[in-house]
Amino acid sequence: MNSISVVIPVLNESETICALLTHLENKASSQNYIHEIIVVDGGSSDDTVTQVTQYAALSKTVSIITSQKGRARQMNTGAIQATGNILYFLHADSYPPQNYDALILKEVTQGNPAGCFKMKFDSNHWWLQLAGWLTKFKWRACRGGDQSQFITKALFEELGRFDERYIIYEDNDLINKLYARRKFVVIQEWLTTSARRYEENGIWKLQFHFWSIYVRKWLGASAEDLHKYYLNKIS
């Protein structure tokens, strides 16, 4: 029987993590295909671990584990522990739509082993609204980790999991492999993600640097080069 393991990498997310966990449990379909929700902490210095531990004590599906810091490492650690046959990787500030589990399962049963939701930001800024609207299309340039990622565990293992050399761009590296195999679908329901990084860094500044990272990777930059650029340009 198909079941979904949600994997959420976190680092200092105490302000919002319990709200996300509540959202995930409340927005699952009545059939509830969510087998487990695995929070993977990368060494938080706030009370993220305490909050999730307390939440997990009252939940049948939520658990928390620890990992070395780095989203790729954390997501791989969660995937290794996961016992569902479908993995759903989700950022801690992204909220999937109602019945997200049934929507994912429908695609998998129809022969689509990987994909994401279209995405909108919790911001009224015209550019972020446009950027979100564009995610409805299947174009490769419109993809990113904030849209979340579902993938069968079998295909995830076949592709070699997330490449842990990438401190950033790990989501896009996996998406590139999926697009190369033409195994990707965009579910036409809205996931809502936080615009906090744009607000902290400045919308145009951050967008420029994200574009720069994308182009640098296309031109052959290494995982280390991308990380150095990120550290120098983005807070």
Side-chain angles (χ1 to χ4, degrees), residues 30-42:
S30 58
Q31 294 89 346
N32 198 348
Y33 299 105
I34 302 302
H35 177 64
E36 59 194 346
I37 301 172
I38 304 172
V39 179
V40 189
D41 185 73

Side-chain angles (χ1 to χ4, degrees), residues 14-25:
S14 62
E15 291 185 10
T16 60
I17 186 59
C18 288
L20 174 61
L21 296 175
T22 301
H23 177 93
L24 290 172
E25 294 194 314

Side-chain angles (χ1 to χ4, degrees), residues 1-5 28-29 31-36 101-102 105:
M1 181 177 176
N2 288 316
S3 61
I4 300 170
S5 293
S29 65
Q31 294 89 346
N32 198 348
Y33 299 105
I34 302 302
H35 177 64
E36 59 194 346
D101 57 326
L105 187 60

Side-chain angles (χ1 to χ4, degrees), residues 105-118:
L105 187 60
K106 178 182 176 182
E107 294 298 336
V108 173
T109 55
Q110 289 180 344
N112 297 311
C116 68
F117 290 98
K118 61 182 183 178

Side-chain angles (χ1 to χ4, degrees), residues 157-174:
E157 295 293 340
E158 181 183 337
L159 292 174
R161 305 173 183 167
F162 286 104
D163 188 338
E164 295 185 4
R165 293 176 299 173
Y166 287 94
I167 306 301
I168 63 163
Y169 204 84
E170 76 291 332
D171 302 294
N172 284 285
D173 177 67
L174 180 65

Side-chain angles (χ1 to χ4, degrees), residues 68-74 76 159-171 173-174 176-177 217 220-228 230-231:
Q68 288 184 309
K69 181 181 177 181
R71 275 209 306 256
R73 292 192 185 100
Q74 289 170 244
N76 282 344
L159 292 174
R161 305 173 183 167
F162 286 104
D163 188 338
E164 295 185 4
R165 293 176 299 173
Y166 287 94
I167 306 301
I168 63 163
Y169 204 84
E170 76 291 332
D171 302 294
D173 177 67
L174 180 65
N176 286 341
K177 295 174 183 176
K217 179 63 173 67
S222 67
E224 183 180 3
D225 290 337
L226 296 179
H227 188 217
K228 286 180 179 178
Y230 181 88
L231 290 176

Side-chain angles (χ1 to χ4, degrees), residues 140 143-144 149 171-180 184:
R140 172 62 190 89
R143 303 280 72 82
Q149 171 73 65
D171 302 294
N172 284 285
D173 177 67
L174 180 65
I175 291 169
N176 286 341
K177 295 174 183 176
L178 292 168
Y179 266 72
F184 202 93

Side-chain angles (χ1 to χ4, degrees), residues 22-187:
T22 301
H23 177 93
L24 290 172
E25 294 194 314
N26 290 342
K27 295 298 182 179
S29 65
S30 58
Q31 294 89 346
N32 198 348
Y33 299 105
I34 302 302
H35 177 64
E36 59 194 346
I37 301 172
I38 304 172
V39 179
V40 189
D41 185 73
S44 294
S45 57
D46 64 4
D47 63 345
T48 296
V49 173
T50 299
Q51 288 198 26
V52 178
T53 300
Q54 292 173 347
Y55 189 103
L58 303 174
S59 170
K60 295 179 180 179
T61 55
V62 174
S63 64
I64 183 166
I65 60 175
T66 58
S67 164
Q68 288 184 309
K69 181 181 177 181
R71 275 209 306 256
R73 292 192 185 100
Q74 289 170 244
M75 289 189 289
N76 282 344
T77 299
I80 290 168
Q81 177 162 314
T83 55
N85 65 324
I86 302 168
L87 303 172
Y88 181 44
F89 297 103
L90 184 68
H91 288 186
D93 57 358
S94 295
Y95 294 76
Q98 180 73 48
N99 299 330
Y100 66 97
D101 57 326
L103 292 165
I104 290 171
L105 187 60
K106 178 182 176 182
E107 294 298 336
V108 173
T109 55
Q110 289 180 344
N112 297 311
C116 68
F117 290 98
K118 61 182 183 178
M119 180 206 74
K120 60 183 177 181
F121 289 99
D122 61 352
S123 169
N124 292 323
H125 190 279
W126 72 267
W127 170 253
L128 295 183
Q129 286 191 327
L130 175 60
W133 179 79
L134 289 170
T135 65
K136 68 190 288 186
F137 300 104
K138 200 175 177 180
W139 305 327
R140 172 62 190 89
C142 296
R143 303 280 72 82
D146 286 338
Q147 296 162 48
S148 70
Q149 171 73 65
F150 75 84
I151 183 172
T152 62
K153 192 168 187 179
L155 180 56
F156 182 69
E157 295 293 340
E158 181 183 337
L159 292 174
R161 305 173 183 167
F162 286 104
D163 188 338
E164 295 185 4
R165 293 176 299 173
Y166 287 94
I167 306 301
I168 63 163
Y169 204 84
E170 76 291 332
D171 302 294
N172 284 285
D173 177 67
L174 180 65
I175 291 169
N176 286 341
K177 295 174 183 176
L178 292 168
Y179 266 72
R181 295 188 176 207
R182 299 184 179 180
K183 292 184 179 293
F184 202 93
V185 66
V186 181
I187 300 176

